[in-house]
C-alpha cells in the first residue's frame, strides 16, 4: 500500500506500531521493590501541612498519637484520637446498614476494644470541603469519614467518647469513597471455609466446647457448610442456609469431638444435596431451565417453611428432607409454581 502524502506532497512516515502492553504478571514489581522500609516510616521531619493538621487536632480536643509516612507512597499521615462527637460521615455516601451497625457494636462490645481505625479528613469550613474554603478555627473542626461510618455509628451506640483515626491532609480523599471501599465482602463459601479452618486449628490449641467460640465462628451452620465445601468446592451452600439457621446450633462438645459431629452432619447435608440435584435434573428433563430450580426444590421439601419460629433437631429435619427429595415427582410441578416461588423460569429451547 502506498504511503500517505502530506499537503505538500511529501511522503508521510508511517506511525510506529504501539509497543505491546506488558502482561500483568510481567509488570508486577519484585517483592521488596516498592515503598519505604519499616524503620523509615516514622523518620524525617513532617511537612508544614502535617504539623498544622496536628495542631488543629489538638485544638479540637483530640490527641496526636503518631505522625508517620504510609509505607507504599510515602505520604504523611497522622494516627490520632478524635472526639467522637466531631466525627461524621461525608454527606454523599451510602446509607447506614442497621444490621451491620448492630453486628459491629455487638463485636466491639464483646471484645471490649476498638481495633480498626477509621479514615478521616478535617473539614476546612462548616460548608464542607473545597479549594479556597476557609480553614475551621481551632476548636471548631469537624472530621468527615469516607471509610468508617458504620464503625462510627457502632461506637456511638455503645456510648464511646472517642475513636482512633488515620487523619489525612488530602481533602480529596473524602470523595474517594468507592476507591476506599473495594474490599470484597465474604460470601457464604469463603466464610464457611475460614470458620472451619479456624475450628480445626483451635481444636489442637484450645479444645474448649464449641459453643464457647460463638464470637469467632459467628454462625454454627458455617462449620457444617465449611466441611461440605472442602469436599465439594461447587457446593451450593446458600440454598440450605434458610434451613440450617433454624436447626444447626453450637455444640456442647469439645472442639475435637464437635468436629466429628460436624463431619457426620456434613455427610448428611451432601447426601441431601445429591437427592436435590436429582430432583433438579428431573425438572430440567421436563423443560424447566430456571436458575432457581435448586432453591425451588429445597423450599418444597423444607418441613419448616410454614412455621413462624421453627425449632427442630438437625438430623431429624435433614433426614425428613432427604426422604422428601428422594420422593420428589417432577411431573407434579407446574411452570407457574416455579415462577411464583423464585421468578419466572427461563424459556426452554428444545
Amino acid at each position: 500500500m502506498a504511503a500517505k502524502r502530506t499537503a505538500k506532497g511529501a511522503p508521510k512516515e508511517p506511525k510506529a506500531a504501539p509497543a505491546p502492553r506488558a502482561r500483568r504478571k510481567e509488570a508486577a514489581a519484585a517483592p521488596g521493590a516498592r515503598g519505604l522500609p519499616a524503620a523509615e516510616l516514622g523518620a524525617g521531619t513532617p511537612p508544614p501541612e502535617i504539623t498544622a493538621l496536628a495542631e488543629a487536632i489538638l485544638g479540637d480536643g483530640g490527641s496526636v498519637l503518631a505522625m508517620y509516612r504510609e509505607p507504599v507512597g510515602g505520604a504523611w499521615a497522622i494516627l490520632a484520637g478524635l472526639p467522637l462527637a466531631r466525627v461524621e460521615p461525608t454527606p454523599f455516601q451510602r446509607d447506614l446498614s442497621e444490621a451491620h451497625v448492630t453486628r459491629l457494636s455487638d463485636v466491639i462490645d464483646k471484645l471490649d476494644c476498638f481495633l480498626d481505625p477509621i479514615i478521616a479528613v478535617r473539614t476546612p469550613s462548616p460548608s464542607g470541603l473545597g479549594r479556597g474554603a476557609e480553614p475551621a478555627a481551632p476548636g471548631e473542626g469537624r472530621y468527615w469519614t469516607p471509610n468508617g461510618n458504620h464503625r462510627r455509628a457502632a461506637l456511638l451506640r455503645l456510648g464511646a467518647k472517642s475513636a482512633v483515626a488515620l487523619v489525612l491532609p488530602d481533602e480529596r480523599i473524602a470523595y474517594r469513597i468507592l476507591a476506599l471501599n473495594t474490599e470484597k465482602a465474604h460470601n457464604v463459601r469463603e466464610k464457611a471455609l475460614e470458620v472451619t479452618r479456624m475450628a480445626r486449628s483451635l481444636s489442637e490449641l484450645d479444645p474448649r466446647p464449641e459453643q464457647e467460640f460463638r464470637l469467632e465462628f459467628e454462625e454454627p451452620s458455617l462449620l457444617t457448610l465449611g466441611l461440605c465445601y472442602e469436599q465439594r468446592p461447587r457446593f451450593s451452600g446458600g440454598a440450605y442456609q434458610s434451613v440450617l439457621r433454624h436447626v444447626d446450633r453450637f455444640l456442647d462438645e469439645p472442639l475435637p469431638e464437635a468436629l466429628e459431629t460436624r463431619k457426620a452432619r456434613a455427610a448428611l447435608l451432601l447426601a441431601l444435596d445429591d437427592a436435590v440435584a436429582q430432583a433438579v435434573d428431573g425438572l430440567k428433563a421436563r423443560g424447566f431451565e430456571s436458575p432457581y430450580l435448586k432453591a425451588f426444590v429445597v423450599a418444597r421439601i423444607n418441613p419448616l417453611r410454614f412455621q413462624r419460629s421453627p425449632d427442630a433437631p438437625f438430623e431429624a429435619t435433614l433426614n425428613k428432607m432427604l426422604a422428601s427429595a428422594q420422593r420428589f415427582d417432577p411431573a407434579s410441578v407446574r411452570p407457574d409454581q416455579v415462577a411464583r416461588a423464585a421468578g419466572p423460569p427461563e424459556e426452554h429451547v428444545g
Side-chain angles (χ1 to χ4, degrees):
M1 184 172 68
K4 292 183 179 179
R5 293 182 175 272
T6 63
K8 295 182 179 179
K12 186 177 181 179
E13 292 295 330
K15 291 183 179 180
R21 292 183 179 180
R23 294 180 181 177
R24 288 180 180 267
K25 291 184 179 180
E26 296 173 353
R34 183 177 178 181
L36 300 174
E40 296 181 12
L41 299 184
T45 303
E49 62 268 21
I50 287 292
T51 303
L53 178 58
E55 292 174 354
I57 291 171
L58 292 173
D60 294 332
S63 60
V64 175
L65 306 176
M67 292 185 282
Y68 70 99
R69 289 184 291 172
E70 59 84 20
V72 176
W76 281 88
I78 296 177
L79 180 66
L82 298 178
L84 196 56
R86 293 188 179 274
V87 182
E88 55 194 41
T90 55
F92 32 77
Q93 64 182 273
R94 62 184 176 180
D95 295 336
L96 283 171
S97 164
E98 184 63 23
H100 191 46
V101 172
T102 299
R103 179 181 171 190
L104 277 174
S105 60
D106 288 346
V107 170
I108 295 170
D109 191 34
K110 289 175 182 176
L111 292 175
D112 199 26
C113 59
F114 177 67
L115 299 175
D116 193 1
I118 64 175
I119 295 174
V121 293
R122 188 175 190 267
T123 61
S125 70
S127 60
L129 300 173
R131 297 286 180 183
E134 291 295 328
E140 297 180 359
R142 311 293 297 180
Y143 295 83
W144 279 1
T145 174
N147 184 284
N149 190 29
H150 285 89
R151 280 164 277 164
R152 179 197 66 86
L155 288 173
L156 281 175
R157 180 173 294 184
L158 293 172
K161 300 176 182 178
S162 61
V164 176
L166 299 177
V167 186
L168 307 176
D170 187 356
E171 302 165 3
R172 295 171 297 177
I173 203 72
Y175 294 91
R176 296 176 179 172
I177 299 172
L178 296 179
L180 290 170
N181 289 275
T182 56
E183 185 176 351
K184 185 175 77 69
H186 283 61
N187 57 34
V188 173
R189 179 180 182 274
E190 292 166 337
K191 291 175 72 173
L193 287 172
E194 191 172 76
V195 164
T196 299
R197 291 164 187 161
M198 281 195 296
R200 192 173 286 119
S201 176
L202 284 168
S203 69
E204 301 175 359
L205 301 174
D206 187 7
R208 285 181 288 154
E210 182 189 271
Q211 64 174 352
E212 294 188 24
F213 294 92
R214 291 173 180 268
L215 179 61
E216 291 83 357
F217 298 157
E218 191 174 288
E219 293 182 32
S221 62
L222 294 175
L223 291 157
T224 303
L225 290 172
L227 292 167
C228 292
Y229 279 116
E230 286 184 339
Q231 298 179 62
R232 192 173 297 175
R234 296 181 65 84
F235 176 68
S236 301
Y240 302 98
Q241 274 286 71
S242 60
V243 178
L244 295 181
R245 285 195 177 104
H246 294 297
V247 301
D248 209 357
R249 299 171 185 83
F250 286 113
L251 304 174
D252 295 328
E253 303 167 345
L255 273 179
E257 288 81 359
L259 279 172
E260 294 302 315
T261 301
R262 293 285 171 194
K263 290 178 183 178
R265 291 188 173 188
L268 179 55
L269 185 55
L270 289 174
L272 171 61
D273 189 57
D274 289 336
V276 169
Q278 289 184 354
V280 169
D281 289 340
L283 289 172
K284 289 181 177 180
R286 291 195 59 230
F288 292 92
E289 292 296 335
S290 169
Y292 307 107
L293 291 181
K294 175 168 279 191
F296 171 76
V297 173
V298 172
R300 285 286 290 259
I301 64 174
N302 179 9
L304 310 177
R305 65 186 184 277
F306 297 124
Q307 300 180 27
R308 284 195 172 185
S309 300
D311 186 11
F314 184 98
E315 287 77 11
T317 302
L318 264 69
N319 277 316
K320 190 172 183 178
M321 293 179 69
L322 175 60
S324 297
Q326 292 169 339
R327 296 193 305 268
F328 189 88
D329 181 13
S332 66
V333 177
R334 303 188 310 271
D336 62 297
Q337 292 175 317
V338 177
R340 287 198 305 270
E346 297 176 354
E347 182 178 353
H348 177 64
V349 180

